[in-house]
Amino acid sequence: MRKYLKYCLLFLPSLLFFGGCATHTRYVESTGPRTIVTTDINIQDFSYAAEEMINSLLASGALDKTQIQPAMLAISRIVNNTTQQIDTDLLTKKIRVALNQSGKALTTTTIGIGGIAEDPLAKGIQQEKEFYADKKEPQRMPDFTLSGKIIEKRDRQDEVRQVSYSFQLSLTNNDGLAVWEDEKEISKQSKRGVIGW
Amino acid sequence: MMRNIFYKPLLSAYILSGIALFSSCTTVNTVERETPVGTKQIIADKRVITDSTLNKKVSIVGLNEGVTNGGFLQVQIEVLNRKNSLQDFSYRFEWFDMNGMLVDTPTSVWIPRQIEGQETMTITAVAPAAGVKDFRVKFIENVRKN
């Protein structure tokens, strides 16, 4: 009995150590309040920025000023001026979905920067359809283009580090005028840990 | 003698905790027009309070409703932090159509906000579609570990 007890006492620290290393993974709502916050741009930051941008855009009534409703929107360049590699579709897709649901604008997937379509198959079908229909009138051009920039700014004071992200968007009509513009800033502070950031 | 031994450290602890408590309090002073020109479309509301602590931190003063140029429902909620220190909270708007069905939208996310002591803050939201008739707003304390 004493021998078993000795073995138990011998392995107990290792059991406790490795038991403590077990990872607990769970699902969280990606739009919920329990997501991880880091100084990088997190998934929820795109949601916050998109939410504010959509509110602002719909409230402005800028999309209502076209002859044909819903307005046609093309996505232009969203410049990533941050130190991180991010896919700007995380921002633009939310805006596109919301505008589509609102019934105020539809996004073209056959017109893109440098003539590159987002959906090449859709562009091919569109061209073929126009060819067989012997269509002479020009293709409907987008009423608006959406462009923007994401900027990062880092500051430090003593042990406190601050990183700010500025989400800037512009809606330009086909006369080249920015009919709606907005900016959403998100700032995060963290205290420096023992190692690095 | 015995009383003095316990009394002094206890008094110091009280003073220190008092300093710590009041030094963290920063409240907001405000000024505005005595008689506002704009008229708010205040609407009657129904509240379900399950967290009374949060209700003190983020107290709902009133709901103001309007319609945007494009015919979208616009809601503004005025909240007040009745505490004397900075508070964190999150809110989320849910939108409902004519049939009372929830309208799923990318804009329906928990938005974290901070409110200073005794500060009044206005939260604005625009309905995601013209067919949206009703809304519900949820508030929650900051559940993330800082």
Side-chain angles (χ1 to χ4, degrees):
Chain A
M1 188 65 193
R2 288 183 82 183
K3 193 182 163 188
Y4 283 121
L5 193 69
K6 203 171 97 182
Y7 278 121
C8 280
L9 286 171
L10 197 69
F11 288 113
L12 190 67
S14 4
L15 278 170
L16 284 171
F17 179 76
F18 288 109
C21 289
T23 56
H24 299 281
T25 309
R26 60 180 178 146
Y27 284 103
V28 288
E29 287 261 348
S30 55
T31 57
R34 292 175 198 273
T35 45
I36 292 167
V37 181
T38 66
T39 51
D40 288 342
I41 305 181
N42 305 129
I43 187 82
Q44 63 271 24
D45 296 332
F46 290 106
S47 300
Y48 306 153
E51 192 263 354
E52 199 140 307
M53 293 294 180
I54 295 157
N55 277 348
S56 166
L57 183 54
L58 292 178
S60 75
L63 294 164
D64 301 317
K65 291 164 189 163
T66 56
Q67 285 184 336
I68 306 168
Q69 286 287 326
M72 188 174 168
L73 179 73
I75 305 296
S76 185
R77 187 169 284 123
I78 309 287
V79 180
N80 173 21
N81 251 0
T82 69
T83 56
Q84 300 156 53
Q85 192 177 358
I86 50 168
D87 193 332
T88 53
D89 271 1
L90 286 165
L91 178 71
T92 55
K93 197 67 175 179
K94 286 179 179 63
I95 294 168
R96 284 170 60 166
V97 170
L99 291 180
N100 193 312
Q101 284 179 348
S102 74
K104 292 288 174 189
L106 294 175
T107 310
T108 175
T109 58
T110 57
I111 296 171
I113 302 164
I116 302 162
E118 185 186 314
D119 186 346
L121 183 62
K123 190 177 184 181
I125 292 167
Q126 186 189 35
Q127 284 172 343
E128 206 159 316
K129 200 173 135 191
E130 280 171 6
F131 175 78
Y132 284 112
D134 198 21
K135 201 176 171 186
K136 296 282 183 240
E137 73 232 35
Q139 183 194 342
R140 187 187 170 193
M141 295 307 285
D143 300 301
F144 302 104
T145 56
L146 189 73
S147 61
K149 198 182 252 190
I150 305 170
I151 303 165
E152 179 185 314
K153 178 81 177 72
R154 285 178 185 261
D155 297 295
R156 192 174 98 180
Q157 189 180 46
D158 302 325
E159 284 189 338
V160 180
R161 312 280 181 119
Q162 181 176 290
V163 57
S164 299
Y165 299 102
S166 174
F167 296 80
Q168 301 175 342
L169 285 182
S170 297
L171 187 79
T172 308
N173 68 8
N174 47 26
D175 292 324
L177 298 169
V179 290
W180 168 85
E181 288 186 292
D182 210 343
E183 183 181 31
K184 161 80 179 167
E185 283 175 347
I186 293 171
S187 294
K188 300 174 183 185
Q189 282 185 352
S190 68
K191 278 192 178 174
R192 193 170 59 174
V194 180
I195 306 161
W197 257 84
Chain B
M1 186 68 188
M2 271 299 275
R3 200 176 147 225
N4 268 351
I5 291 167
F6 289 109
Y7 182 72
K8 278 184 181 174
L10 203 68
L11 187 71
S12 309
Y14 272 124
I15 291 166
L16 280 171
S17 60
I19 290 166
L21 183 76
F22 289 106
S23 63
S24 64
C25 294
T26 312
T27 58
V28 173
N29 296 338
T30 55
V31 63
E32 62 187 291
R33 192 195 287 265
E34 191 183 355
T35 318
V37 176
T39 318
K40 288 181 180 177
Q41 296 291 318
I42 301 290
I43 52 169
D45 59 75
K46 186 176 85 177
R47 298 175 195 183
V48 180
I49 308 294
T50 58
D51 186 345
S52 52
T53 316
L54 174 67
N55 193 40
K56 281 178 195 155
K57 293 173 180 176
V58 189
S59 178
I60 299 150
V61 178
L63 271 73
N64 190 11
E65 197 183 75
V67 179
T68 65
N69 294 336
F72 287 69
L73 181 71
Q74 189 172 29
V75 181
Q76 281 196 334
I77 301 174
E78 198 178 342
V79 293
L80 167 71
N81 177 10
R82 293 193 193 279
K83 298 256 180 181
N84 290 333
S85 55
L86 180 80
Q87 300 296 332
D88 293 293
F89 71 100
S90 295
Y91 70 90
R92 179 185 193 165
F93 270 86
E94 287 179 344
W95 303 97
F96 300 91
D97 65 11
M98 185 65 102
N99 301 318
M101 302 286 275
L102 180 78
V103 179
D104 191 24
T105 163
T107 59
S108 188
V109 294
W110 283 100
I111 308 283
R113 294 292 292 265
Q114 285 189 322
I115 187 166
E116 293 286 351
Q118 302 293 339
E119 187 192 0
T120 305
M121 180 187 274
T122 305
I123 296 164
T124 309
V126 178
V132 167
K133 300 293 173 198
D134 288 312
F135 65 93
R136 183 194 289 151
V137 194
K138 295 174 178 176
F139 292 89
I140 193 170
E141 278 200 75
N142 197 3
V143 289
R144 290 190 194 96
K145 287 172 191 168
N146 289 320

